Amino acid sequence: MNHPVLNAEERKLSTKGELHGLRRQGKIPAVVYGGGQSALAIVLDAKEFKQATAGVSESTIISLNIGGKKKDAFIRERQRDTMSTDIIHVDFLEVAKDRALRAKVSLHFTGVPVGVKEGGILETPGHEVEVECLPADLPEKIEIDVSALEANHSIHVRDIPAMKNVKILTSSELVLAVVKYAKAEAEPVAAAAAPAEGAAPAEGAAPAEGAAGAAPAEAAAGAAPAAGAKAEKKEAKK
């Protein structure tokens, strides 16, 4: 596997003023830890570092060329300036070629699930898995094809195809991807259509036949002729 290569120079431990001077020259102070040796102070070219490490993950091994001597290492930490966000210091963790290591490898999902085409939504709660292997066998990423994933089905760690010389340490039951259906919104609409018990009818709506309140109107309509009839009888007697 080809690893990004960075050229570096060994340096002596510097004062704060000297470190600022290196940064003004377009350099990045760095330290390499591990490898069974004491920490090694180095200096990198800032432009080369940015280009060589663009898009690399924590599981990507970097080959450091330090004065003709090569060391394989992970980028353990990048320290940035709080104002400019420029990288001002890097810590590397050296790895031994003949010693198994543990690292977290990112997952890359490919394809469009069958369940998504049917209206479902793809969720990917798993973004990485921890593996154990020799540095030469460490994958930069693991691709998972989700094309056949149906609605209400999921992909677990146990479903990852076996990789030669690579052991997955993450629990086999961990869910990495699942397709779910969105909740129906019909219930709130139905509830809004049916008025609550005892609520007043909408403005302009005709009262229901036989509804309470119609009786007084009918009584009033019938009362007027009765009163008029009595008046006519009195006039006739006179």
Side-chain angles (χ1 to χ4, degrees), residues 20-221:
H20 287 308
L22 288 173
R23 294 175 185 126
R24 284 194 294 268
Q25 297 171 28
K27 305 292 184 180
I28 301 176
V31 176
V32 182
Y33 298 95
Q37 300 178 359
S38 57
L40 177 64
I42 60 174
V43 61
L44 310 165
D45 180 79
K47 186 177 181 180
E48 181 186 8
F49 178 84
K50 184 176 181 180
Q51 292 176 344
T53 61
V56 303
S57 64
E58 295 180 359
S59 61
T60 302
I61 294 178
I62 307 294
S63 292
L64 296 172
N65 182 11
I66 308 172
K69 297 180 180 180
K70 292 186 178 180
K71 291 180 178 289
D72 288 338
F74 293 116
I75 298 177
R76 184 178 184 181
E77 183 180 1
R78 309 181 205 202
Q79 184 180 348
R80 297 180 181 272
D81 183 88
T82 55
M83 300 296 293
S84 66
T85 70
D86 292 335
I87 296 175
I88 58 176
H89 193 276
V90 179
D91 285 344
F92 291 95
L93 180 61
E94 185 179 357
V95 296
K97 294 182 178 180
D98 58 348
R99 187 182 304 169
L101 56 82
R102 293 185 177 187
K104 292 182 179 180
V105 181
S106 59
L107 304 176
H108 180 62
F109 299 95
T110 62
V112 179
V114 173
V116 170
K117 294 179 180 179
E118 295 174 348
I121 298 174
L122 174 65
E123 296 182 1
T124 53
H127 301 290
E128 61 185 16
V129 293
E130 186 176 12
V131 303
E132 182 178 61
C133 60
L134 291 173
D137 299 319
L138 180 65
E140 292 187 13
K141 62 182 179 181
I142 297 176
E143 292 194 352
I144 299 178
D145 186 3
V146 296
S147 301
L149 191 58
E150 300 178 359
N152 299 323
H153 286 70
S154 56
I155 294 177
H156 299 75
V157 170
R158 61 174 178 268
D159 300 316
I160 297 177
M163 295 173 286
K164 186 178 180 180
N165 300 326
V166 177
K167 179 181 179 182
I168 298 180
L169 302 177
T170 303
S171 170
S172 62
E173 300 302 316
L174 179 68
V175 175
L176 303 178
V178 60
V179 173
K180 296 181 178 180
Y181 274 123
K183 293 182 178 179
E185 298 182 0
E187 293 183 3
V189 176
E197 185 178 353
E203 184 178 352
E209 185 176 352
E218 293 175 358

Side-chain angles (χ1 to χ4, degrees), residues 6-26:
L6 278 175
N7 295 307
E9 297 177 3
E10 193 172 345
R11 66 177 175 86
K12 295 181 179 180
L13 294 177
S14 309
T15 63
K16 288 186 177 180
E18 292 171 331
L19 293 176
H20 287 308
L22 288 173
R23 294 175 185 126
R24 284 194 294 268
Q25 297 171 28

